[in-house]
């Protein structure tokens, strides 16, 4: 595994999916450093050739709706990763996937919690009520074609006790997570009801991502037989 830097502070992590041999077919770039998004792609049988996380300002604009925030951030990540990829001969003709997840109560966007107090406030707000998770996914083809989808999922938490919140904060799973929780971890036990895409709440809507790539000609099923 080779780790190198691209211009503008974007870090490129190159993976060789075949253990050293050049990969056949088009290359795939994930514009994210999220291990959850990587794991979801791998679950669908896709192994990115590179990770190009985009370091962008994720501050919402004034009066920006949560859905539009998710869309804008995913588009911006795609633009940054696309520019970095086009500057490298080994990634110039890649398919690029970007995504962003926003958790909201009404029009209020919850932060990606970095402090325990932030996460505690998020959990208290989510306790016993429904919230919405918006995940936008964008795909850029080697021909420059762009496709995108925004997936909305409704999630209801049980009423959280002080002990629930205190114990979850102690787990540290909330750190860096939109809304102060990770549904694929301990917080999954808080979920009373989910309507929509579970994988979108984790960070990448698989159904939509595969359809977008497939629609642009990426061989999404190429590796499925080798997994048997």
């Amino acid at each position: 595994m080779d780790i190198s830097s691209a211009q503008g502070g974007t870090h490129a992590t190159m993976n060789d999916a075949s253990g050293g041999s050049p990969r056949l077919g088009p290359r795939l770039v994930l514009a994210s450093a999220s291990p959850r998004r990587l794991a979801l792609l791998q679950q669908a049988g896709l192994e990115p050739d590179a990770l190009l996380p985009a370091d962008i300002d994720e501050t919402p604009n004034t009066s920006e709706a949560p859905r539009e925030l998710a869309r804008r951030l995913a588009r911006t990540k795609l633009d940054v990763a696309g520019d970095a990829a086009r500057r490298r001969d080994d990634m110039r003709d890649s398919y690029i996937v970007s995504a962003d997840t926003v958790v909201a109560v009404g029009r209020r966007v919850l932060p990606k919690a970095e402090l325990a107090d932030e996460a505690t406030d998020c959990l208290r707000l989510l306790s016993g009520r429904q919230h919405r998770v918006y995940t936008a996914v964008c795909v850029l083809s080697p021909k420059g074609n762009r496709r995108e989808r925004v997936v909305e999922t409704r999630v209801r938490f049980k009423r959280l006790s002080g002990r629930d919140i205190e114990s979850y904060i102690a787990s540290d799973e909330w750190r860096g997570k939109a809304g102060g929780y990770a549904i694929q971890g301990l917080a999954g036990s808080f979920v009373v009801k989910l309507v929509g895409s579970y994988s979108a709440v984790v960070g990448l809507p698989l159904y939509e991502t595969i359809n977008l790539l497939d629609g642009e000609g990426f061989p999404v099923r190429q590796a499925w037989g080798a997994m048997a």
Side-chain angles (χ1 to χ4, degrees):
M1 181 177 291
D2 168 59
I3 300 178
S4 55
S5 296
Q7 296 179 19
T10 301
H11 298 288
T13 303
M14 299 301 298
N15 299 314
D16 194 331
S18 57
S21 302
R23 171 175 169 167
L24 299 177
R27 299 174 71 82
L28 179 64
V29 172
L30 176 61
S32 175
S34 166
R36 298 168 299 283
R37 292 193 175 113
L38 175 59
L40 284 166
L41 272 184
Q42 291 169 333
Q43 177 184 325
L46 300 180
E47 187 69 48
D49 297 282
L51 304 179
L52 276 176
D55 185 14
I56 65 172
D57 182 2
E58 300 189 8
T59 305
N61 293 329
T62 303
S63 301
E64 187 172 28
R67 175 186 292 272
E68 294 311 311
L69 173 61
R71 191 195 311 273
R72 177 175 64 83
L73 294 181
R75 286 175 175 175
T76 304
K77 290 177 180 179
L78 191 73
D79 290 340
V80 172
D83 288 345
R86 301 302 178 249
R87 290 195 295 267
R88 296 182 57 140
D89 291 339
D90 55 352
M91 287 191 267
R92 190 164 295 149
D93 295 323
S94 300
Y95 287 80
I96 302 175
V97 176
S98 68
D100 193 83
T101 300
V102 171
V103 175
V105 175
R107 291 182 61 89
R108 177 177 174 180
V109 173
L110 275 61
K112 293 182 179 177
E114 296 295 345
L115 301 174
D117 286 348
E118 285 182 318
T120 298
D121 289 344
C122 287
L123 293 172
R124 286 175 177 163
L125 182 62
L126 298 176
S127 175
R129 69 190 304 174
Q130 177 178 278
H131 62 278
R132 296 175 190 262
V133 180
Y134 300 91
T135 297
V137 57
C138 300
V139 167
L140 177 65
S141 77
K143 295 180 180 179
N145 297 331
R146 292 169 176 259
R147 291 179 180 236
E148 64 181 44
R149 286 289 303 276
V150 180
V151 178
E152 177 183 330
T153 304
R154 288 174 287 166
V155 182
R156 179 178 293 277
F157 272 13
K158 72 172 187 175
R159 187 168 299 280
L160 302 176
S161 67
R163 184 177 179 184
D164 287 330
I165 294 174
E166 186 177 314
S167 297
Y168 188 70
I169 294 301
S171 77
D172 217 36
E173 281 190 358
W174 51 269
R175 196 174 298 278
K177 306 298 193 304
Y181 75 92
I183 196 171
Q184 71 275 19
L186 298 170
S189 65
F190 299 160
V191 178
V192 174
K193 185 177 182 180
L194 184 149
V195 179
S197 169
Y198 173 82
S199 63
V201 180
V202 178
L204 189 70
L206 285 183
Y207 171 77
E208 289 78 9
T209 302
I210 294 303
N211 277 353
L212 292 176
L213 285 168
D214 194 32
E216 285 302 322
F218 187 85
V220 295
R221 302 166 189 83
Q222 180 173 277
W224 287 11
M227 299 172 66

